[in-house]
Amino acid sequence: MDKLTCLHDSHVALGAVMSPFAGFDMPIRYPAGIIAEHNAVRTKVGMFDVSHMGEIFVDGPDATRFVNHIFTNDITKAAAGEILYGMMLYPDGGVVDDLLVYKGFTPEHYLLVVNAANIDKDYEWLLGNAEGFDVVLDNQSESWGQIAIQGPESEDVVTRVLGIPAAAGLRFYTYFEMPGMIVSRTGYTGEDGFEIYAPVEKTRALWQTLLDAGVQPCGLGCRDTLRFEAGLPLYGDELSAEISPVMAGLSIFCKLDKEEFIGKEALLEQKAGGTARKLVGIEVLDRAIPRAGYSVETPEAEVVGVVTTGYRSITLDRSLAFALVDSAHAALGTALQVRIRNKVFPAQVIKKRFYQTNYKK
Amino acid sequence: MSKIIEGLLYSESHEWVKIDGNVAIIGVSDFAQSELGDITYVDMPSDGDEIEKGGEFGALESVKTAADLYSPVSGTVVATNRAVEDDPSLINADPYTNWIIKIEMSDKGECNSLLDAAAYAQIVK
């Protein structure tokens, strides 16, 4: 039986197409459709129920040292109210999860926001690595709802419709707290946007206020097309126990000058010796659509990789993909081909950030 | 509730057929387009392709997925609809006007095994 978010009733009432995702029954698209929802976020504003995401709090005298031990980014470089993206790694460099760490306004207080599919695994991983650290771990995932408000008009919506004028003062990847609520300028769409964490009842009230104001509800369908265009990875597709951040081109979020963190040695070796495979962007020079699992080949039909995510880009109207390919074929401009229903289509390695993001720096 | 047109024949794989002499005009049902969502690409056969009843003749791709198209009859492709190839969203807008291919049937008797509107309604209800 799939879990339900606190907004499930509203999705059903709105006529959403629902589907299981990460153990939750989630809205894939509303009657407007994925393209209209995607375009709302790119040109105006849209909102997502992301209550399925996990919230794990870390407190205690050793919280900073502990977070830096399990996290690839360097939390000591962040100020109170700042947010860092990074990963938790296995010792071999494989990824336990990618996550956001919110640095608290009081010392030794952190919020870890993790992928819904990984909440239990992550919590176990954290507990299992907490020996020798004086920390308290608190998985509050079921107590918190979360709404992402994304798009160029998101600041207007959060300040005026939700009556949170202070949100205008937030830079990208910073946050503040209100009684029972967390407001952060973050997102997974490539646009400016906010994510608001609140208890279940408050989340329902916020969602209804946004609906009444005419904000387009957006499903997981366009959440994926949006993050894909912006070059953002999805755990399970572009990051996994087998796909390290070095392979995925995310070394910038791994601070190898830190004294230590789990997986650091493996990443150092991968940086020095190279990896067998790399994640690349690919453009298929046709309207045909490269889908996850399709083979990537050389022009001589030697299989050298596989598509991890692919779409006909809604914003760019190009057939684009992320693919994990042998490193010998990963250079920008390399000619490849993708096998789509037993036909082959010429393709080329291009930069992964297909869409120019619009963050408020 | 998806729309079903009287007078057309239907396959269990959600294609519709309109018989015009020896030619079968083929599209997909309202149910099919609504299940797929926004259609972004039509993988068309070529004119002259020989197709078996039940055989794959192309695919519709929505933003999220690809769905194979299966021919309700055997025969030779005599036309493909360039308009829906250029703008696949026409199928979402009106799946019964916007046909996909026309097939010159090799055995018109095969139509007897297709579903009428009432029988198809039972499948998608």
Side-chain angles (χ1 to χ4, degrees):
Chain A
M1 181 64 193
D2 290 313
K3 289 185 273 189
L4 309 181
T5 74
C6 55
L7 301 174
H8 187 269
D9 288 354
S10 176
H11 306 318
V12 173
L14 288 165
V17 172
M18 307 293 293
S19 183
F21 176 83
F24 288 80
D25 189 42
M26 295 297 288
I28 301 303
R29 57 181 157 100
Y30 297 85
I34 292 175
I35 293 175
E37 293 166 25
H38 178 109
N39 289 335
V41 171
R42 284 274 181 262
T43 62
K44 294 175 67 182
V45 62
M47 62 175 179
F48 301 81
D49 175 13
V50 282
S51 301
H52 58 314
M53 301 291 285
E55 292 85 11
I56 300 172
F57 288 84
V58 182
D59 283 282
D62 292 337
T64 300
R65 195 166 64 86
F66 175 69
V67 170
N68 241 19
H69 173 59
I70 53 92
F71 189 50
T72 58
N73 216 326
D74 189 352
I75 201 65
T76 65
K77 298 278 165 53
E82 290 185 347
I83 302 159
L84 291 182
Y85 171 76
M87 300 92 202
M88 297 195 288
L89 301 183
Y90 295 107
D92 70 358
V95 180
V96 180
D97 202 1
D98 63 336
L99 66 157
L100 296 180
V101 174
Y102 287 61
K103 185 152 182 166
F105 291 96
T106 53
E108 304 297 344
H109 174 66
Y110 295 92
L111 163 61
L112 278 46
V113 179
V114 304
N115 282 300
N118 296 335
I119 295 171
D120 294 342
K121 178 184 79 175
D122 290 354
Y123 192 57
E124 291 299 313
W125 177 256
L126 291 166
L127 286 174
N129 284 285
E131 200 176 322
F133 294 90
D134 189 355
V135 290
V136 177
L137 301 170
D138 187 7
N139 178 9
Q140 295 188 12
S141 301
E142 299 200 353
S143 316
W144 291 86
Q146 189 191 344
I147 300 171
I149 300 148
Q150 302 282 301
E153 293 177 9
S154 57
E155 181 181 297
D156 189 50
V157 165
V158 173
T159 55
R160 276 191 326 108
V161 176
L162 295 183
I164 310 176
L170 286 174
R171 281 177 296 108
F172 202 55
Y173 270 60
T174 64
Y175 77 102
F176 58 76
E177 294 173 349
M178 294 169 64
M181 263 167 58
I182 295 168
V183 179
S184 74
R185 197 156 204 156
T186 45
Y188 192 46
T189 60
E191 297 301 329
D192 186 18
F194 298 83
E195 291 175 306
I196 299 183
Y197 303 76
V200 166
E201 280 308 318
K202 178 71 179 169
T203 300
R204 287 200 190 102
L206 292 169
W207 180 262
Q208 192 57 49
T209 301
L210 293 163
L211 274 182
D212 292 344
V215 177
Q216 173 67 51
C218 298
L220 293 184
C222 79
R223 188 167 159 82
D224 204 53
T225 56
L226 289 159
R227 69 91 191 169
F228 167 74
E229 288 181 346
L232 302 171
L234 173 63
Y235 187 88
D237 290 345
E238 285 83 31
L239 287 172
S240 70
E242 286 75 41
I243 309 173
S244 77
V246 173
M247 293 162 70
L250 298 170
S251 297
I252 189 174
F253 301 107
C254 304
K255 301 304 178 192
L256 296 171
D257 56 349
K258 268 200 328 190
E259 191 178 319
E260 67 89 29
F261 62 88
I262 300 173
K264 179 184 167 182
E265 300 307 319
L267 294 194
L268 281 170
E269 275 177 37
Q270 292 184 9
K271 289 286 276 188
T275 57
R277 295 181 301 166
K278 279 185 184 165
L279 190 75
V280 297
I282 280 189
E283 175 162 19
V284 172
L285 309 169
D286 191 276
R287 287 200 69 87
I289 304 168
R291 302 279 183 189
Y294 289 2
S295 297
V296 177
E297 307 176 349
T298 65
E300 295 75 36
E302 179 199 352
V303 175
V304 292
V306 63
V307 172
T308 58
T309 303
Y311 286 109
R312 183 74 190 175
S313 163
I314 294 168
T315 305
L316 305 169
D317 196 30
R318 293 155 61 193
S319 293
L320 302 171
F322 297 146
L324 203 53
V325 302
D326 294 349
S327 296
H329 303 277
L332 288 179
T334 303
L336 295 169
Q337 63 186 24
V338 179
R339 189 165 291 272
I340 301 175
R341 283 186 300 279
N342 270 325
K343 292 180 219 169
V344 290
F345 294 89
Q348 193 174 29
V349 177
I350 63 170
K351 286 187 179 167
K352 284 199 295 289
R353 184 170 287 192
F354 306 121
Y355 173 76
Q356 186 57 49
T357 53
N358 295 304
Y359 302 133
K360 173 150 175 181
K361 298 291 181 191
Chain B
M1 187 62 207
S2 70
K3 201 165 128 187
I4 297 171
I5 304 275
E6 290 290 335
L8 300 179
L9 298 172
Y10 296 86
S11 68
E12 290 180 15
S13 49
H14 309 291
E15 290 85 11
W16 57 259
V17 181
K18 185 179 175 188
I19 306 297
D20 181 13
N22 264 331
V23 171
I25 305 168
I26 296 167
V28 296
S29 70
D30 188 44
F31 176 82
Q33 73 77 20
S34 115
E35 285 288 298
L36 274 169
D38 297 319
I39 297 168
T40 56
Y41 179 69
V42 185
D43 186 4
M44 286 282 193
S46 304
D47 284 3
D49 283 1
E50 304 268 342
I51 292 169
E52 293 285 307
K53 179 181 166 74
E56 190 188 315
F57 71 81
L60 295 183
E61 299 213 29
S62 67
V63 176
K64 291 295 289 178
T65 54
D68 290 334
L69 292 163
Y70 299 99
S71 183
V73 294
S74 305
T76 306
V77 177
V78 292
T80 58
N81 189 345
R82 284 295 299 273
V84 304
E85 198 171 2
D86 290 345
D87 181 5
S89 72
L90 290 172
I91 298 173
N92 292 117
D94 185 351
Y96 294 111
T97 304
N98 293 295
W99 56 276
I100 298 171
I101 60 168
K102 297 184 181 183
I103 288 182
E104 176 89 41
M105 289 180 281
S106 56
D107 176 7
K108 209 173 164 180
E110 286 177 347
C111 295
N112 296 330
S113 61
L114 295 173
L115 307 167
D116 63 12
Y120 181 64
Q122 292 298 311
I123 287 184
V124 298
K125 81 172 180 190

